[in-house]
Amino acid sequence: QVQLVESGGGLVQPGGSLRVSCAASGFTLDQYAIAWFRQAPGKEREGVSCISSFKTVDGYTAYSHPVKGRFTISRDDAKNSAYLQMNGLKPEDTAVYYCAAVRRVIAGCSMDDYVYPHWGQGTQVTVSS
């Protein structure tokens, strides 16, 4: 059974840091591009970051404008996991964060949600003093 499970969300003060994790089971993640999305209350889901599959060996990453320079996406295929390190958190980063995966063995990645067939259940990140 293909499954993605996020963890690591929580409450953090503005300016703080948090790392959310995405653990895959039922398939090996190395042939999959991975993306992180988020959805705040009353807002549409938006792409945050993506990383190309390990098989492309190009290490391509992309970030949305609001998080560029503050967030870092990474993957550890030996652990079948991906991560999103979030620094300099702002109240507007408050949202449920989802990881998603799509099998992709060509270069690049996408932050369009319709591309991704596999999704986790989400983890809540709240930035507040």
Side-chain angles (χ1 to χ4, degrees):
Q1 181 182 359
V2 172
Q3 194 173 15
L4 296 171
V5 177
E6 300 95 335
S7 62
L11 173 64
V12 63
Q13 292 187 342
S17 298
L18 207 59
R19 188 178 83 156
V20 290
S21 302
C22 174
S25 61
F27 66 105
T28 53
L29 210 50
D30 62 352
Q31 296 188 24
Y32 287 73
I34 300 161
W36 285 93
F37 294 84
R38 68 185 181 185
Q39 187 166 23
K43 294 188 177 181
E44 292 187 357
R45 185 166 58 192
E46 62 174 345
V48 174
S49 181
C50 67
I51 186 168
S52 60
S53 75
F54 176 75
K55 289 298 184 183
T56 68
V57 201
D58 68 344
Y60 177 86
T61 59
Y63 299 90
S64 65
H65 180 73
V67 309
K68 196 169 186 178
R70 299 187 296 123
F71 290 12
T72 302
I73 191 171
S74 63
R75 60 189 302 149
D76 186 340
D77 290 319
K79 295 183 178 180
N80 223 31
S81 295
Y83 309 95
L84 186 68
Q85 176 68 42
M86 303 182 288
N87 299 328
L89 282 161
K90 305 175 181 180
E92 51 264 43
D93 294 318
T94 295
V96 177
Y97 283 71
Y98 301 90
C99 67
V102 59
R103 189 173 184 275
R104 183 184 175 104
V105 293
I106 58 174
C109 62
S110 169
M111 286 191 284
D112 292 319
D113 57 4
Y114 63 84
V115 168
Y116 294 87
H118 306 298
W119 290 79
Q121 84 292 344
T123 185
Q124 176 71 47
V125 172
T126 303
V127 185
S128 175
S129 56

